[in-house]
Amino acid sequence: MDVFDLAQHPGRISPAYFFFLLFVVLGIGGSCFMLYLIRSGRKGAWFYLLLTLAITVGACGALLHEVRHAAALKEQVLSGRFATVEGCLDQFHPGLASSSEADSGVEQWFVGGQLFDYGPDEIRLGYHATEPGGGIVHADSRVKVGYVRDEVLARNDIVRLEVVQHACPAAGDYARQGR
């Protein structure tokens, strides 16, 4: 049985501050540069100012969501109040070792009517190792998944994962069905 458990390591639950702050800083820097160009009389700089301001606001919003979601997720993990589903996989689509290999490098699987999807290079609070990248979930795995729903991003963040290998018939790859 393979196990991934954030409840055993709650210190790992924290937002990716640097990732989001990078975009905030780039947006502010770009906005300042556009203001300089506007003062210099450059035509069209207003459009780019609006674009850089939109990037800055979007990055601030994403950072705020990530901070709030990480705090809620940590509280739910520490109190044991997260949803759980278990069983054999209903469907399984393996991801790629690196999301840069293709646009659809995301691994997806269903168990108990819940969709779990993640990519190897994603900035995520929970489990996100794809099968080719050393992940522990395979088409013939029996899983018990503890997760917290992120309603804003419409995804399930995996906080606890128990896997029994080769315990079920291999789930079909829905992406290859109908081809």
Side-chain angles (χ1 to χ4, degrees), residues 1-6 87 89 92 94-95 107 109 118 126-146 158-167:
M1 177 176 296
D2 297 307
V3 177
F4 169 84
D5 192 358
L6 284 177
L89 302 183
F92 179 78
E107 185 160 289
W109 43 274
Y118 45 82
Y127 178 83
H128 61 275
T130 59
E131 182 182 46
I136 58 177
V137 179
H138 308 288
D140 61 354
S141 297
R142 178 171 181 76
V143 297
K144 182 176 182 182
V145 186
I158 300 171
V159 296
R160 180 165 172 66
L161 178 61
E162 297 176 33
V163 179
V164 178
Q165 302 298 342
H166 315 297

Side-chain angles (χ1 to χ4, degrees), residues 67-150:
V67 168
R68 287 180 176 169
H69 181 61
L73 189 136
K74 191 172 195 172
E75 188 271 323
Q76 288 176 320
V77 166
L78 290 173
S79 67
R81 293 183 303 120
F82 49 84
T84 303
V85 64
E86 69 178 291
C88 294
L89 302 183
D90 300 322
Q91 296 178 355
F92 179 78
H93 178 69
L96 299 172
S98 172
S99 61
S100 63
E101 292 179 22
D103 292 336
S104 59
V106 175
E107 185 160 289
Q108 298 177 323
W109 43 274
F110 287 86
V111 63
Q114 292 296 318
L115 168 66
F116 298 92
D117 60 343
Y118 45 82
D121 300 330
E122 290 183 342
I123 306 296
R124 297 284 288 260
L125 295 171
Y127 178 83
H128 61 275
T130 59
E131 182 182 46
I136 58 177
V137 179
H138 308 288
D140 61 354
S141 297
R142 178 171 181 76
V143 297
K144 182 176 182 182
V145 186
Y147 64 96
V148 174
R149 181 81 179 153
D150 183 342

Side-chain angles (χ1 to χ4, degrees), residues 55-71:
I55 290 170
T56 305
V57 168
C60 289
L63 176 61
L64 179 62
H65 167 70
E66 193 73 7
V67 168
R68 287 180 176 169
H69 181 61

Side-chain angles (χ1 to χ4, degrees), residues 163-177:
V163 179
V164 178
Q165 302 298 342
H166 315 297
C168 298
D173 185 346
Y174 66 88
R176 290 196 167 81
Q177 296 171 0

